[in-house]
Structure formats: C-alpha cells, structure tokens
Amino acid sequence: GYIITNYHVIADAVGNSSSKIEVFLDSDENSQSYAASVVGYNISCDLAVLKINANNLKPVELGTTDELKVGQYVVTIGAPGGLEFMGSVTYGVISGLNRVVSTDSDVKLIQTNAAINPGNSGGALVNTKGELVGITSSKIVSEEFEGMGFAIPANTVSEICKNIIDK
C-alpha cells in the first residue's frame, strides 16, 4: 500500500540508516504498526510517498480541487500531538484558495480554519463526502493570526505522487 504524507514529516529519517519509519493504521479494534519504506519525495512540494506491506487496504477516494469553494465545509484527520490522539477530527471551512505561503515553493495551497496542530501534517483534508481534497501541511503560528492552516490540493498531490511512484 502506498501512503502519502508530507516530506517534512519524514525528512529526519531520509538518509539516516539508524532511523525507521512506521505507519500506524487505525482499525475499530486497535492500531496496527507497519514498517514503511520511502518510495520517493518532492521537497519543494513537501510531499513523500511511503510503501507498506499490508493486505486489504482501502484507498481514499479523491475529490477534485477544481470544485472547491470558499465557505465549503472540510474535515481534517490526523494525530495532533502524537499517537495518543491518533484519528482526531476537526472541521472548518475553506477560507481561501490558491494561496502561496512560502518563498521556497510556488505550490498554490488551500487555506482552511479547521484546526491543524503538530501531528496533523501529512493527514487528510476531506470534503463532506469523505473525499480527499488535500493533504494538510502547515499553519501560520503567530499571536496576530489564528485559524490559518494550509493543505496541498488533491489535484497537485495526485500529480506529484504519481510521478514519484512512476519514476
């Protein structure tokens, strides 16, 4: 199974032979851990593809970023603060589209006010149908700002990760 996350989530483990990457899948009964290998990554887009050996995985359905509208409800799923809070869900709205927040990348991001905390990076941003519309990646942390989180659009994720897998 291919797992998509942010590059910054695995960056310290890349090229470090003493590090290992584990993926935790949450089920109704318990959480199961899988050793993951790095298929590849794109640093400028902050995306990475991992691979685990697991059976009967159900892929996430992709939504289209082209249909997103400001004000549309979205949900983030992640593990804010670590495994203790794995599977946490927050909701909010699309606050803006096509935002560029870094001078290192020209990737246009989805802005949301759904809570994004440390540990949510690399998690899903889904629409009300449960379709993936983005991968959460960052937030602005400052006393002057609140509720400014960002996600890489699913269309971009799909294109970049397909290239990573193919090459």
PDB file of all heavy atoms in Angstrom, residues 36-58:
ATOM      1  N   ALA A  36       7.647   1.057   7.092  1.00  0.00           N
ATOM      2  CA  ALA A  36       7.458   1.713   5.802  1.00  0.00           C
ATOM      3  C   ALA A  36       8.792   1.989   5.144  1.00  0.00           C
ATOM      4  O   ALA A  36       9.780   2.303   5.820  1.00  0.00           O
ATOM      5  CB  ALA A  36       6.688   3.022   5.987  1.00  0.00           C
ATOM      6  N   SER A  37       8.806   1.869   3.831  1.00  0.00           N
ATOM      7  CA  SER A  37       9.984   2.280   3.070  1.00  0.00           C
ATOM      8  C   SER A  37       9.622   3.542   2.293  1.00  0.00           C
ATOM      9  O   SER A  37       8.456   3.763   1.948  1.00  0.00           O
ATOM     10  CB  SER A  37      10.425   1.162   2.118  1.00  0.00           C
ATOM     11  OG  SER A  37       9.389   0.856   1.207  1.00  0.00           O
ATOM     12  N   VAL A  38      10.624   4.343   2.023  1.00  0.00           N
ATOM     13  CA  VAL A  38      10.410   5.585   1.278  1.00  0.00           C
ATOM     14  C   VAL A  38      10.505   5.273  -0.212  1.00  0.00           C
ATOM     15  O   VAL A  38      11.535   4.811  -0.693  1.00  0.00           O
ATOM     16  CB  VAL A  38      11.448   6.659   1.670  1.00  0.00           C
ATOM     17  CG1 VAL A  38      11.256   7.919   0.842  1.00  0.00           C
ATOM     18  CG2 VAL A  38      11.375   6.965   3.154  1.00  0.00           C
ATOM     19  N   VAL A  39       9.418   5.513  -0.933  1.00  0.00           N
ATOM     20  CA  VAL A  39       9.397   5.330  -2.385  1.00  0.00           C
ATOM     21  C   VAL A  39      10.082   6.516  -3.038  1.00  0.00           C
ATOM     22  O   VAL A  39      10.876   6.363  -3.961  1.00  0.00           O
ATOM     23  CB  VAL A  39       7.946   5.190  -2.899  1.00  0.00           C
ATOM     24  CG1 VAL A  39       7.901   5.141  -4.421  1.00  0.00           C
ATOM     25  CG2 VAL A  39       7.287   3.961  -2.296  1.00  0.00           C
ATOM     26  N   GLY A  40       9.787   7.713  -2.550  1.00  0.00           N
ATOM     27  CA  GLY A  40      10.381   8.928  -3.085  1.00  0.00           C
ATOM     28  C   GLY A  40       9.712  10.145  -2.483  1.00  0.00           C
ATOM     29  O   GLY A  40       8.775  10.028  -1.695  1.00  0.00           O
ATOM     30  N   TYR A  41      10.210  11.313  -2.858  1.00  0.00           N
ATOM     31  CA  TYR A  41       9.677  12.552  -2.291  1.00  0.00           C
ATOM     32  C   TYR A  41       9.970  13.719  -3.212  1.00  0.00           C
ATOM     33  O   TYR A  41      10.803  13.636  -4.107  1.00  0.00           O
ATOM     34  CB  TYR A  41      10.245  12.813  -0.894  1.00  0.00           C
ATOM     35  CG  TYR A  41      11.754  12.670  -0.808  1.00  0.00           C
ATOM     36  CD1 TYR A  41      12.599  13.723  -1.139  1.00  0.00           C
ATOM     37  CD2 TYR A  41      12.322  11.473  -0.402  1.00  0.00           C
ATOM     38  CE1 TYR A  41      13.971  13.587  -1.070  1.00  0.00           C
ATOM     39  CE2 TYR A  41      13.696  11.328  -0.321  1.00  0.00           C
ATOM     40  CZ  TYR A  41      14.515  12.382  -0.651  1.00  0.00           C
ATOM     41  OH  TYR A  41      15.875  12.240  -0.586  1.00  0.00           O
ATOM     42  N   ASN A  42       9.249  14.795  -2.964  1.00  0.00           N
ATOM     43  CA  ASN A  42       9.442  16.053  -3.676  1.00  0.00           C
ATOM     44  C   ASN A  42       9.523  17.131  -2.599  1.00  0.00           C
ATOM     45  O   ASN A  42       8.506  17.476  -1.991  1.00  0.00           O
ATOM     46  CB  ASN A  42       8.271  16.301  -4.633  1.00  0.00           C
ATOM     47  CG  ASN A  42       8.427  17.561  -5.438  1.00  0.00           C
ATOM     48  OD1 ASN A  42       8.756  18.619  -4.894  1.00  0.00           O
ATOM     49  ND2 ASN A  42       8.173  17.478  -6.733  1.00  0.00           N
ATOM     50  N   ILE A  43      10.714  17.601  -2.341  1.00  0.00           N
ATOM     51  CA  ILE A  43      10.937  18.544  -1.241  1.00  0.00           C
ATOM     52  C   ILE A  43      10.201  19.858  -1.479  1.00  0.00           C
ATOM     53  O   ILE A  43       9.568  20.388  -0.569  1.00  0.00           O
ATOM     54  CB  ILE A  43      12.452  18.790  -1.023  1.00  0.00           C
ATOM     55  CG1 ILE A  43      13.125  17.484  -0.586  1.00  0.00           C
ATOM     56  CG2 ILE A  43      12.676  19.892   0.009  1.00  0.00           C
ATOM     57  CD1 ILE A  43      14.645  17.552  -0.542  1.00  0.00           C
ATOM     58  N   SER A  44      10.261  20.391  -2.693  1.00  0.00           N
ATOM     59  CA  SER A  44       9.654  21.708  -2.938  1.00  0.00           C
ATOM     60  C   SER A  44       8.137  21.680  -2.795  1.00  0.00           C
ATOM     61  O   SER A  44       7.537  22.699  -2.474  1.00  0.00           O
ATOM     62  CB  SER A  44      10.064  22.260  -4.304  1.00  0.00           C
ATOM     63  OG  SER A  44       9.523  21.472  -5.332  1.00  0.00           O
ATOM     64  N   CYS A  45       7.518  20.528  -3.031  1.00  0.00           N
ATOM     65  CA  CYS A  45       6.068  20.401  -2.846  1.00  0.00           C
ATOM     66  C   CYS A  45       5.723  19.858  -1.465  1.00  0.00           C
ATOM     67  O   CYS A  45       4.550  19.758  -1.123  1.00  0.00           O
ATOM     68  CB  CYS A  45       5.475  19.485  -3.910  1.00  0.00           C
ATOM     69  SG  CYS A  45       5.565  20.193  -5.558  1.00  0.00           S
ATOM     70  N   ASP A  46       6.728  19.473  -0.690  1.00  0.00           N
ATOM     71  CA  ASP A  46       6.558  18.919   0.658  1.00  0.00           C
ATOM     72  C   ASP A  46       5.687  17.659   0.644  1.00  0.00           C
ATOM     73  O   ASP A  46       4.818  17.481   1.484  1.00  0.00           O
ATOM     74  CB  ASP A  46       5.988  19.961   1.626  1.00  0.00           C
ATOM     75  CG  ASP A  46       6.111  19.524   3.090  1.00  0.00           C
ATOM     76  OD1 ASP A  46       6.993  18.701   3.395  1.00  0.00           O
ATOM     77  OD2 ASP A  46       5.306  19.993   3.911  1.00  0.00           O
ATOM     78  N   LEU A  47       5.958  16.774  -0.329  1.00  0.00           N
ATOM     79  CA  LEU A  47       5.221  15.517  -0.419  1.00  0.00           C
ATOM     80  C   LEU A  47       6.180  14.334  -0.425  1.00  0.00           C
ATOM     81  O   LEU A  47       7.288  14.426  -0.979  1.00  0.00           O
ATOM     82  CB  LEU A  47       4.368  15.472  -1.686  1.00  0.00           C
ATOM     83  CG  LEU A  47       3.149  16.380  -1.696  1.00  0.00           C
ATOM     84  CD1 LEU A  47       2.540  16.445  -3.091  1.00  0.00           C
ATOM     85  CD2 LEU A  47       2.118  15.905  -0.676  1.00  0.00           C
ATOM     86  N   ALA A  48       5.746  13.236   0.175  1.00  0.00           N
ATOM     87  CA  ALA A  48       6.522  11.998   0.188  1.00  0.00           C
ATOM     88  C   ALA A  48       5.567  10.830   0.010  1.00  0.00           C
ATOM     89  O   ALA A  48       4.414  10.877   0.449  1.00  0.00           O
ATOM     90  CB  ALA A  48       7.291  11.855   1.497  1.00  0.00           C
ATOM     91  N   VAL A  49       6.072   9.786  -0.626  1.00  0.00           N
ATOM     92  CA  VAL A  49       5.309   8.555  -0.795  1.00  0.00           C
ATOM     93  C   VAL A  49       6.049   7.447  -0.067  1.00  0.00           C
ATOM     94  O   VAL A  49       7.251   7.243  -0.279  1.00  0.00           O
ATOM     95  CB  VAL A  49       5.131   8.189  -2.289  1.00  0.00           C
ATOM     96  CG1 VAL A  49       4.384   6.870  -2.431  1.00  0.00           C
ATOM     97  CG2 VAL A  49       4.410   9.299  -3.034  1.00  0.00           C
ATOM     98  N   LEU A  50       5.320   6.746   0.792  1.00  0.00           N
ATOM     99  CA  LEU A  50       5.844   5.602   1.531  1.00  0.00           C
ATOM    100  C   LEU A  50       5.152   4.350   1.014  1.00  0.00           C
ATOM    101  O   LEU A  50       4.102   4.428   0.381  1.00  0.00           O
ATOM    102  CB  LEU A  50       5.564   5.756   3.026  1.00  0.00           C
ATOM    103  CG  LEU A  50       5.987   7.069   3.679  1.00  0.00           C
ATOM    104  CD1 LEU A  50       5.545   7.094   5.141  1.00  0.00           C
ATOM    105  CD2 LEU A  50       7.486   7.270   3.570  1.00  0.00           C
ATOM    106  N   LYS A  51       5.734   3.191   1.331  1.00  0.00           N
ATOM    107  CA  LYS A  51       5.106   1.916   0.965  1.00  0.00           C
ATOM    108  C   LYS A  51       5.135   1.002   2.175  1.00  0.00           C
ATOM    109  O   LYS A  51       6.143   0.910   2.863  1.00  0.00           O
ATOM    110  CB  LYS A  51       5.839   1.269  -0.202  1.00  0.00           C
ATOM    111  CG  LYS A  51       5.244  -0.056  -0.632  1.00  0.00           C
ATOM    112  CD  LYS A  51       5.118  -0.114  -2.126  1.00  0.00           C
ATOM    113  CE  LYS A  51       4.621  -1.447  -2.633  1.00  0.00           C
ATOM    114  NZ  LYS A  51       3.254  -1.724  -2.393  1.00  0.00           N
ATOM    115  N   ILE A  52       3.991   0.366   2.424  1.00  0.00           N
ATOM    116  CA  ILE A  52       3.901  -0.634   3.479  1.00  0.00           C
ATOM    117  C   ILE A  52       3.403  -1.940   2.858  1.00  0.00           C
ATOM    118  O   ILE A  52       2.760  -1.937   1.814  1.00  0.00           O
ATOM    119  CB  ILE A  52       2.960  -0.207   4.633  1.00  0.00           C
ATOM    120  CG1 ILE A  52       1.516  -0.011   4.145  1.00  0.00           C
ATOM    121  CG2 ILE A  52       3.484   1.056   5.312  1.00  0.00           C
ATOM    122  CD1 ILE A  52       0.509   0.222   5.264  1.00  0.00           C
ATOM    123  N   ASN A  53       3.740  -3.053   3.505  1.00  0.00           N
ATOM    124  CA  ASN A  53       3.243  -4.350   3.076  1.00  0.00           C
ATOM    125  C   ASN A  53       2.043  -4.692   3.938  1.00  0.00           C
ATOM    126  O   ASN A  53       2.195  -5.093   5.091  1.00  0.00           O
ATOM    127  CB  ASN A  53       4.334  -5.420   3.201  1.00  0.00           C
ATOM    128  CG  ASN A  53       5.446  -5.198   2.193  1.00  0.00           C
ATOM    129  OD1 ASN A  53       5.185  -4.864   1.049  1.00  0.00           O
ATOM    130  ND2 ASN A  53       6.678  -5.363   2.631  1.00  0.00           N
ATOM    131  N   ALA A  54       0.869  -4.490   3.388  1.00  0.00           N
ATOM    132  CA  ALA A  54      -0.370  -4.774   4.099  1.00  0.00           C
ATOM    133  C   ALA A  54      -1.415  -5.211   3.078  1.00  0.00           C
ATOM    134  O   ALA A  54      -1.360  -4.804   1.916  1.00  0.00           O
ATOM    135  CB  ALA A  54      -0.850  -3.542   4.856  1.00  0.00           C
ATOM    136  N   ASN A  55      -2.336  -6.012   3.522  1.00  0.00           N
ATOM    137  CA  ASN A  55      -3.388  -6.516   2.649  1.00  0.00           C
ATOM    138  C   ASN A  55      -4.707  -5.831   2.947  1.00  0.00           C
ATOM    139  O   ASN A  55      -4.915  -5.298   4.036  1.00  0.00           O
ATOM    140  CB  ASN A  55      -3.556  -8.028   2.833  1.00  0.00           C
ATOM    141  CG  ASN A  55      -2.317  -8.774   2.402  1.00  0.00           C
ATOM    142  OD1 ASN A  55      -1.726  -8.466   1.366  1.00  0.00           O
ATOM    143  ND2 ASN A  55      -1.908  -9.748   3.195  1.00  0.00           N
ATOM    144  N   ASN A  56      -5.587  -5.872   1.964  1.00  0.00           N
ATOM    145  CA  ASN A  56      -6.960  -5.395   2.112  1.00  0.00           C
ATOM    146  C   ASN A  56      -7.064  -3.922   2.500  1.00  0.00           C
ATOM    147  O   ASN A  56      -7.955  -3.543   3.255  1.00  0.00           O
ATOM    148  CB  ASN A  56      -7.734  -6.259   3.109  1.00  0.00           C
ATOM    149  CG  ASN A  56      -7.761  -7.711   2.683  1.00  0.00           C
ATOM    150  OD1 ASN A  56      -7.951  -8.008   1.510  1.00  0.00           O
ATOM    151  ND2 ASN A  56      -7.542  -8.609   3.630  1.00  0.00           N
ATOM    152  N   LEU A  57      -6.148  -3.125   2.005  1.00  0.00           N
ATOM    153  CA  LEU A  57      -6.219  -1.687   2.267  1.00  0.00           C
ATOM    154  C   LEU A  57      -7.250  -1.065   1.329  1.00  0.00           C
ATOM    155  O   LEU A  57      -7.355  -1.436   0.162  1.00  0.00           O
ATOM    156  CB  LEU A  57      -4.856  -1.026   2.041  1.00  0.00           C
ATOM    157  CG  LEU A  57      -3.747  -1.478   2.963  1.00  0.00           C
ATOM    158  CD1 LEU A  57      -2.427  -0.846   2.531  1.00  0.00           C
ATOM    159  CD2 LEU A  57      -4.067  -1.127   4.401  1.00  0.00           C
ATOM    160  N   LYS A  58      -7.990  -0.124   1.852  1.00  0.00           N
ATOM    161  CA  LYS A  58      -8.985   0.577   1.035  1.00  0.00           C
ATOM    162  C   LYS A  58      -8.435   1.974   0.713  1.00  0.00           C
ATOM    163  O   LYS A  58      -8.203   2.768   1.622  1.00  0.00           O
ATOM    164  CB  LYS A  58     -10.303   0.697   1.790  1.00  0.00           C
ATOM    165  CG  LYS A  58     -11.389   1.342   0.969  1.00  0.00           C
ATOM    166  CD  LYS A  58     -12.692   1.440   1.720  1.00  0.00           C
ATOM    167  CE  LYS A  58     -13.697   2.182   0.875  1.00  0.00           C
ATOM    168  NZ  LYS A  58     -14.895   2.521   1.616  1.00  0.00           N
TER     169      LYS A  58
END
